[in-house]
Amino acid sequence: MNIDGKPWRTIWLEPDGGPGGDAVGVIDQTLLPHQFTTRSLRSCQEAAEAIRTMVVRGAPLIGVTGAYGLMLALQLDPSDAALAAAFEQLNATRPTAINLRWALERVRAKVQPLPPAERAEAAKAEAAAIADEDVAMCEAIGDHGLALFQQLAARKPGATLQVLTHCNAGWLATVDWGTALAPIYKAHRAGLPIHVWVDETRPRNQGASLTAYELGKEGVPHTVIVDNAGGHLMQHGLVDAVIVGTDRTTRRGDVCNKIGTYLKALAARDNGVPFYVALPASTIDWTIDDGVAEIPIEARNAEEVTQIQGRISTGSAAGEIAQVQLSPNGSPGFNPAFDVTPARLVTGLITERGVAEASEAGLRELYGRG
Ligand code: MRU
């Protein structure tokens, strides 16, 4: 996607940039929207830290960063022991998004049978393939989602399509295009009048900071709302569709996404608003059925709830990025980072292969497995 006229991906190779050979370039998402800064990851340890601290985030991008993290480890030490240690280190960074384990397993399966001297190059090629495939899958999701949006828009000729999204499932969460935002970009580029209600997405505000940033750079009309406003907007006919991403989708179509997604799905059902989830195949966990019972939910630091980060807007420190406290000293916080929306609340799964019913039969029809 473009930032001020320059095309960017969220992750790239910097040849000969690290102690073992290459480095991996990323955009530091903890500073957006106030500062656009890139970082070079020069070791597996730095890649793991970038995922853990959410310098990079979003299920598909975490997966690609993990894949490159294995490459960085193998460039320094291609032994079996180093491969196993790097796999564990990266896999332990964030537990919910299945894309991370999926990408790590894919690279490991490719390199493990090879002689150690060939492993780093093979990991590099596999990580690059995962990144390129992610771009292609997200663009295809955009095309399938666009067709859906065109159907919805046809019901209200001449009017603007009103779409609500939660968290950031845009190009910053992937390598390019995004999942839930890809159809929005496609619609905007196709000239379909569209406006996006952007949930701020407490506690880390990926909506207010990242989704609003992306949509602004692409010129898509949007409005940031507090997380609690969505139900009210739906009751007043101001939302034609909800579209979100997912960090893990079970075999039967339950979707795990940023905390608060479930409440949007409930409000959408109560108001007859279609609730779509956009995902690439790498987000499907074919090993589990019941998302509520079986998906591990990341519990993050309570300070993300009791404090908030922003740019100081007045006074002598204006312009600085700062952390401020919201709750009284001593009030504990609790910070589950994701929730599960049961398949029964999902109108459709928009995948790179088309739109599926959120059910085992629906997914099997597209992917030929169960
Ligand atoms: O905690 P984050 O910012 O990594 O959470 C991201 C989300 O919840 C996205 O909606 C999800 O990864 C789908 S992204 C394409």
Side-chain angles (χ1 to χ4, degrees), residues 146 149-150 153 158-161 183-195 219-221:
L146 169 61
F149 282 177
Q150 282 167 331
T160 296
L161 191 70
I184 290 168
Y185 292 130
K186 288 276 180 175
H188 180 66
R189 289 183 185 188
L192 191 141
I194 191 163
H195 167 265
V220 179

Side-chain angles (χ1 to χ4, degrees), residues 41-57:
L41 310 178
R42 292 157 46 85
S43 66
C44 177
Q45 170 68 29
E46 287 184 9
E49 203 55 17
I51 298 171
R52 200 183 59 73
T53 58
M54 296 178 66
V55 165
V56 291
R57 32 65 55 200

